Amino acid sequence: MPNPIYVLNGPNLNLLGKREPGIYGGQSLVDIEAGCKERAKELGLSVEFRQTNHEGLLIDWVQEAGEQSAGIVLNPGAYGHTSIALHDAIRAIAPVPVIEVHLSNIHAREPFRHHSMVSSVVEGLICGFGPIGYMLALDALAQRL
Ligand code: DQA
């Protein structure tokens, strides 16, 4: 089996299920983790699934994934809109592929969500499909391995 896929989640995603369900849906992050692990198993992959509310820790994990993963599925939450440090970390671990995922369609929301600091340095971007986006990202990574 190749190195695990790191599925990294940024701030407030621990509140999924309770947080604005009209936008983010009713599934909790635990549900999404279970879905990712099941999909990964079907693809012959393994998943290291994590969430943090802290920007520096997210960057530590991207760096760790640069050494120890086959690729990253990253929902950066709001740090995707703000974090140059996250942009730099993704660049620093090239060529490890990173797929950016957002549950909601960030382009159909407030203007401050339209720009992503990380989109220009990731392999691809999936947004607007809810939890299915995580599965699509795993499928895409599996094709590349
Ligand atoms: C999000 C979109 C971001 O704009 C927001 O800050 C989040 C979640 C999404 O998954 O749709 O926290 O990344």
Side-chain angles (χ1 to χ4, degrees):
M1 209 184 256
N3 282 342
I5 303 294
Y6 275 42
V7 182
L8 302 180
N9 295 278
N12 298 308
L13 292 165
N14 54 313
L15 299 179
L16 285 181
K18 296 179 254 182
R19 173 194 184 199
E20 299 185 87
I23 295 175
Y24 297 115
Q27 282 195 35
S28 69
L29 199 62
V30 171
D31 296 332
I32 294 176
E33 178 174 6
C36 284
K37 291 196 164 153
E38 201 179 307
R39 188 80 194 115
K41 204 171 164 192
E42 288 162 10
L43 294 164
L45 300 172
S46 64
V47 153
E48 176 69 28
F49 193 99
R50 299 183 189 171
Q51 186 275 333
T52 179
N53 291 326
H54 303 275
E55 183 177 5
L57 186 56
L58 192 56
I59 286 156
D60 287 344
W61 288 347
V62 169
Q63 291 184 11
E64 178 186 316
E67 301 291 329
Q68 296 175 23
S69 84
I72 303 177
V73 176
L74 174 65
N75 184 345
Y79 290 142
H81 308 303
T82 61
S83 179
I84 297 170
L86 195 52
H87 171 108
D88 285 347
I90 293 167
R91 281 169 72 152
I93 62 160
V96 174
V98 180
I99 312 273
E100 178 183 358
V101 170
H102 298 277
L103 294 152
S104 61
N105 179 353
I106 55 175
H107 299 289
R109 299 184 62 195
E110 305 94 326
F112 62 82
R113 295 185 204 276
H114 295 181
H115 184 255
S116 163
M117 297 300 302
V118 301
S119 293
S120 61
V121 287
V122 295
E123 187 88 7
L125 161 66
I126 298 166
C127 72
F129 294 103
I132 293 167
Y134 287 74
M135 315 305 149
L136 296 173
L138 288 171
D139 289 352
L141 284 173
Q143 297 274 336
R144 291 184 88 276
L145 299 177

